[in-house]
């Protein structure tokens, strides 16, 4: 029993000695000043459309410096919507060390940046903080705003990296014709709205993924006389893609026929051309064709801002605009095919 007590006494002494040594070691570490929060000013020159990844970070507190800044998801050219992630390495002075960090302890200034995560290295003398910058916004400037041809109702413009969609509006004289129309294409067919004599032009602006709108860009004017307005109404105008809508529409001496491939249906005249980018009346039914000449179906918003429905169902009426009826999805269209709201 005495031997057991001596062993226990020795064990307790050894434990106390170990704790004392650990305490002395901790006391030695605590001689350094703890850095409980950091302040950083972030400046970025990263922009959509280029491959520049220059980011600078300045320390706003004492006891530490910025040792290294690295953009960790640099994959070449930046595009609109990209979110740069930046790794910032801080080094403490010899007589300082870093406490654990969190979002509330990392104060970020300058260009918009958000705390993501952090971790310590090298006996707490190194702190690595990862932040993310705001999503990049591409340019909302638009070039080459013009009519597709001298006698074409198709408005065209060049795409821009920052745009998710475009708003386009038609004008006759000083007054707008209908309201602004939204499209994801770089063109819009105003044939159905240019049905009166007058001087026409259009405006277009880009809208990014955050619904930010760019400036309006304006086209040159085009004079439309009564004959040209009638041609637009009947679908007789240049399509601008090597084909054309001509006066030799189906039912005339030249005639035409429907064709189909794995992409879809199109209507081909006997001379090999086909209607594109607009509406055409075939055998007393109205059909709408996209920029490549393929038949469009479902709900279609025309240049007048009104909605029309072209039947997508297989059969002899496939693709034809519905009038004075209820669409398959339960909406009413009037005698002109316009959705009755």
């Amino acid at each position: 029993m005495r031997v057991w007590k001596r062993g226990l006494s020795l064990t307790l002494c050894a434990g106390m000695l170990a704790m004392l040594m650990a305490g002395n070691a901790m006391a030695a570490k605590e001689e350094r000043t703890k850095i409980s929060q950091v302040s950083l000013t972030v400046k970025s020159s990263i922009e959509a459309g280029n491959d520049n990844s220059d980011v600078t970070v300045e320390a706003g507190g004492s006891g530490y410096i910025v040792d290294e800044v690295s953009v960790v998801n640099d994959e070449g050219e930046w595009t609109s919507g990209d979110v740069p992630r930046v790794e910032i390495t801080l080094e403490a002075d010899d007589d300082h060390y870093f406490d654990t960090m969190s979002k509330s302890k990392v104060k970020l200034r300058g260009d918009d940046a958000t705390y993501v995560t952090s971790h310590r290295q090298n006996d707490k003398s190194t702190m690595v903080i990862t932040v993310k910058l705001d999503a990049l916004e591409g340019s909302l400037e638009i070039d080459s705003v013009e009519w597709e041809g001298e006698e074409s109702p198709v408005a065209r413009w060049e795409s821009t990296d920052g745009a998710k969609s475009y708003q386009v509006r038609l004008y006759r004289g000083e007054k707008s014709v209908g309201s602004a129309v939204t499209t994801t294409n770089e063109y819009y067919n105003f044939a159905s709205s240019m049905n009166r004599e007058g001087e026409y032009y259009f405006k277009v602006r880009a809208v990014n993924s955050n619904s930010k709108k760019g400036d309006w860009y304006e086209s040159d004017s085009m004079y439309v006389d009564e004959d040209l307005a009638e041609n637009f109404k009947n679908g007789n105008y240049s399509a601008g893609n090597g084909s054309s809508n001509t006066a030799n529409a189906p039912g005339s001496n030249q005639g035409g026929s429907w064709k189909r491939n794995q992409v879809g249906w199109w209507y081909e005249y006997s001379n090999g051309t086909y209607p594109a980018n607009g509406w055409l009346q075939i055998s007393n039914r109205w059909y709408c064709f996209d920029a490549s000449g393929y038949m469009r179906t479902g709900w279609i918003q025309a240049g007048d801002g009104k909605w029309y429905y072209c039947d997508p169902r297989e059969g002899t009426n496939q693709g034809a605009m519905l009038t004075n009826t209820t669409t398959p999805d339960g909406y009413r269209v009037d005698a002109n095919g316009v959705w009755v709201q």
Side-chain angles (χ1 to χ4, degrees):
M1 183 67 72
R2 291 177 182 174
V3 173
W4 180 85
K5 285 184 177 181
R6 284 179 181 172
L8 177 60
S9 177
L10 290 173
T11 301
L12 290 173
C13 289
M16 292 177 66
L17 181 59
M19 291 176 62
L20 181 60
M21 292 175 65
N24 290 335
M26 291 177 64
K29 288 186 178 179
E30 289 175 355
E31 290 179 358
R32 297 182 298 173
T33 301
K34 180 170 65 177
I35 303 171
S36 57
Q37 68 176 22
V38 297
S39 177
L40 305 172
T41 300
V42 180
K43 296 181 180 179
S44 170
S45 60
I46 297 176
E47 294 181 352
N50 63 39
D51 56 3
N52 179 19
S53 295
D54 289 342
V55 177
T56 61
V57 180
E58 297 179 358
S62 59
Y64 60 94
I65 62 171
V66 177
D67 182 61
E68 185 178 359
V69 178
S70 175
V71 180
V72 297
N73 60 337
D74 179 6
E75 297 179 355
E77 183 173 318
W78 298 97
T79 61
S80 179
D82 284 346
V83 179
R85 292 173 68 92
V86 183
E87 193 173 83
I88 306 165
T89 302
L90 306 179
E91 289 294 338
D93 295 345
D94 291 340
D95 55 349
H96 287 71
Y97 73 98
F98 290 104
D99 192 8
T100 56
M101 294 293 166
S102 63
K103 182 177 181 180
S104 62
K105 295 180 179 181
V106 180
K107 308 299 181 182
L108 298 172
R109 297 180 174 84
D111 291 340
D112 291 336
T114 304
Y115 173 88
V116 177
T117 187
S118 63
H119 63 276
R120 296 178 295 179
Q121 298 175 348
N122 302 328
D123 192 25
K124 304 178 185 180
S125 64
T126 302
M127 172 66 69
V128 180
I129 299 174
T130 302
V131 302
K132 63 179 181 179
L133 305 183
D134 282 356
L136 300 179
E137 294 183 357
S139 171
L140 296 181
E141 296 180 359
I142 300 177
D143 295 324
S144 301
V145 179
E146 57 192 8
W147 295 104
E148 191 169 63
E150 293 182 358
E151 296 185 349
S152 172
V154 179
R156 284 197 176 274
W157 54 91
E158 287 189 5
S159 62
T160 183
D161 181 66
K164 182 180 181 182
S165 63
Y166 301 91
Q167 289 184 337
V168 58
R169 170 172 272 172
L170 180 67
Y171 290 82
R172 184 177 63 248
E174 297 299 322
K175 297 183 178 180
S176 63
V177 181
S179 57
V181 180
T182 299
T183 178
T184 56
N185 299 318
E186 290 79 42
Y187 62 87
Y188 195 84
N189 193 332
F190 284 112
S192 61
S193 298
M194 300 172 70
N195 52 17
R196 293 173 55 186
E197 182 179 3
E199 198 84 21
Y200 289 87
Y201 65 94
F202 70 92
K203 294 182 180 181
V204 61
R205 66 180 176 184
V207 183
N208 70 11
S209 57
N210 296 319
S211 298
K212 179 181 178 181
K213 299 177 177 64
D215 295 329
W216 286 103
Y217 291 82
E218 183 176 319
S219 73
D220 291 334
S221 295
M222 182 200 331
Y223 180 73
V224 176
D225 58 22
E226 292 183 359
D227 291 339
L228 188 55
E230 187 66 21
N231 285 339
F232 289 167
K233 180 179 179 181
N234 295 327
N236 302 328
Y237 51 83
S238 171
N241 62 348
S243 64
S244 65
N245 296 317
T246 72
N248 298 311
S252 68
N253 292 332
Q254 193 174 20
S257 60
W258 287 100
K259 305 288 186 179
R260 188 178 190 179
N261 60 17
Q262 67 273 18
V263 178
W265 289 94
W266 76 95
Y267 192 86
E268 186 173 297
Y269 302 131
S270 59
N271 65 359
T273 63
Y274 51 87
N277 233 350
W279 294 84
L280 184 65
Q281 191 175 33
I282 303 172
S283 300
N284 297 319
R285 296 190 180 100
W286 282 99
Y287 297 84
C288 188
F289 299 90
D290 66 17
S292 299
Y294 288 105
M295 180 180 71
R296 296 178 61 184
T297 61
W299 286 105
I300 300 170
Q301 189 176 31
D304 57 5
K306 298 175 182 178
W307 288 92
Y308 300 82
Y309 190 87
C310 291
D311 198 344
R313 296 171 294 186
E314 293 282 348
T316 56
N317 289 329
Q318 184 178 6
M321 184 184 74
L322 298 184
T323 59
N324 201 26
T325 187
T326 300
T327 63
D329 52 355
Y331 295 91
R332 188 73 183 171
V333 290
D334 64 18
N336 294 317
V338 178
W339 170 39
V340 180
Q341 301 186 42

